[in-house]
Amino acid sequence: MDLLLAASSPTPSEGGGFDLIGTIMWPFKFLVEAILVGWHWLLTAVGLPTAAGLTWVLSIVGLVIVIRAAVFPLFVRQIKSQRKMMEIAPELRKVQEKYKGKRDQLSREAMSRETMALYRKHGTTPMSSCLPLLVQMPFLLGMFYTLSDVKKHAEAGVGGVGLLSAALTKEFYDAKLFGVAPLHTSLIDAINQKPEGWEVTVTILVILVILMIASQFFTQLQIISKNLSPEAKTGQAYQMQRIMLYVLPLGFIFSGLFFPLGVVIYWFVSNLWTMGQQFLVLREMPTPGSDAAKAREERLARKGKAINAEGKVVPMESYQAEQRRMLEEAERAKAEAPKRQQPMSKKRAKKKGES
C-alpha cells in the first residue's frame, strides 16, 4: 500500500508544488535511470533493437541484478544481526521474566540496564538488524519510482530526472513485450480499455502475478519451515509470520491489478533474486538449531568436515580435536575448582577437634 501511495504522489515536473519525497528520492532515481539506460545502451550495442520490448525487459532485469548485487553485503549483515538477536533471545526472556509484573521505576530502569548490557556483550541491538534494510529501501524504491513514472512522464512529454531522456521515456512507453503487450499497461487498464492484443497482455500479466505470488509464498514458507530454531517456533512472532504467509499474497493480487507490466516484471525478477538469496542463507548461513542448520551439518559430515566453535568449516579431525580439548579443559576446570564444604554441626565439629 505504501508503494501505491508513493507511485501516485505528484512529481515536481507535474507542478504539484514542493515534493519532499521526490526531492529525497532524486539521487536514487538518478542512479537507477543511469543503470537502466546503461543496460539499454549495452543491449542495443550487441544488436538488439533499441525500441523492442525485449530490450527494455532485459534492461529491467539488468537493473534488478545490479541494485540487488550492490546491496547484497547489507543483506548479509542484516542476517548476521538477526542471528545474534535470536541467539540472545533466551537471555532476554530471562531478564523479562525476572521483572515480570514489576512496574515501579527502579525495576524498569534495572531491566533496561540489564537488557542493554546483554546487547553490549553480544555486540548487537534490535536496530542493527533493521538498519541494513532501511539503507536498502531507497534504492529499491528508486527502481519502483522510475518504472512506474514512465507512463505519466511519457504522456507529459518529459523525461526522468537524469539519463532517461524524453525520447528514451517515449521509447520505453511505446515498447511492447512480444510486440503485443505494452510495458506501461496495467492489468486493470488492459481489461477496461481493451487495446489491440489486450488478451495477450492480460494473459502475460496474470501469469506474472501468479508467479510473483508463488515466489513470495515459497520464500516465506522456506524461512518459517526450515530456518527457524525450535525456540523461535514457540513465540508470538512465529504465529504472526504464519498469518502473514497467507495475508501477503492478497496484497500482491491488489498490486498486480494496478501496477504496469514493467513494474510487475521488476517485482517478479526481484522476487527471484530474493529466492536465490534465501537458498544461499539456508545452505550456507542457516539459523543455529534449525532444520536447515542440521541439513548443512549432515552435508559437511558426508564431506568429512564440521563447524568449529568459531563457526568456521574445518576438517573433521580438527573439529574432533577441538572437542576433545574443550572437554579436557572443562574437566580440568572442574577438578581445580574448590570443593564445597559440607555444613558441620557443632557436636560433630567438637568431636573432630578432640580427635
Side-chain angles (χ1 to χ4, degrees), residues 33-101:
E33 288 184 13
I35 298 172
L36 182 67
V37 172
W39 274 103
H40 182 264
W41 175 85
L42 180 63
L43 292 168
T44 55
V46 298
L48 290 181
T50 181
L54 179 61
T55 306
W56 283 105
V57 167
L58 293 178
S59 298
I60 294 172
V61 173
L63 171 65
V64 173
I65 291 173
V66 171
I67 295 293
R68 295 302 296 270
V71 300
F72 182 75
L74 293 176
F75 168 77
V76 174
R77 183 177 177 182
Q78 179 185 351
I79 291 296
K80 291 181 178 179
S81 297
Q82 291 174 342
R83 187 72 39 78
K84 288 183 179 180
M85 287 299 299
M86 294 177 68
E87 289 173 358
I88 69 173
E91 296 179 66
L92 286 174
R93 281 197 292 269
K94 289 180 181 179
V95 173
Q96 293 168 355
E97 287 294 327
K98 180 179 177 181
Y99 295 97
K100 185 177 180 180

Side-chain angles (χ1 to χ4, degrees), residues 175-208:
K176 296 180 179 180
L177 184 60
F178 306 128
V180 180
L183 297 182
H184 70 269
T185 299
S186 66
L187 183 59
I188 198 73
D189 287 341
I191 294 175
N192 290 337
Q193 300 173 8
K194 292 183 172 56
E196 182 180 357
W198 69 275
E199 298 92 344
V200 177
T201 304
V202 169
T203 301
I204 293 173
L205 278 164
V206 168
I207 292 174
L208 283 175

Side-chain angles (χ1 to χ4, degrees), residues 7-24:
S8 62
S9 62
T11 61
S13 62
E14 295 174 303
F18 179 70
D19 180 17
L20 178 61
I21 297 179
T23 302
I24 295 173

Side-chain angles (χ1 to χ4, degrees), residues 12 44 72 121 179 190 200 205 222 239 258 279 294:
T44 55
F72 182 75
K121 177 183 176 181
V200 177
L205 278 164
Q222 291 289 92
Q239 300 302 324
F258 296 96
F279 174 79
K294 295 175 183 177

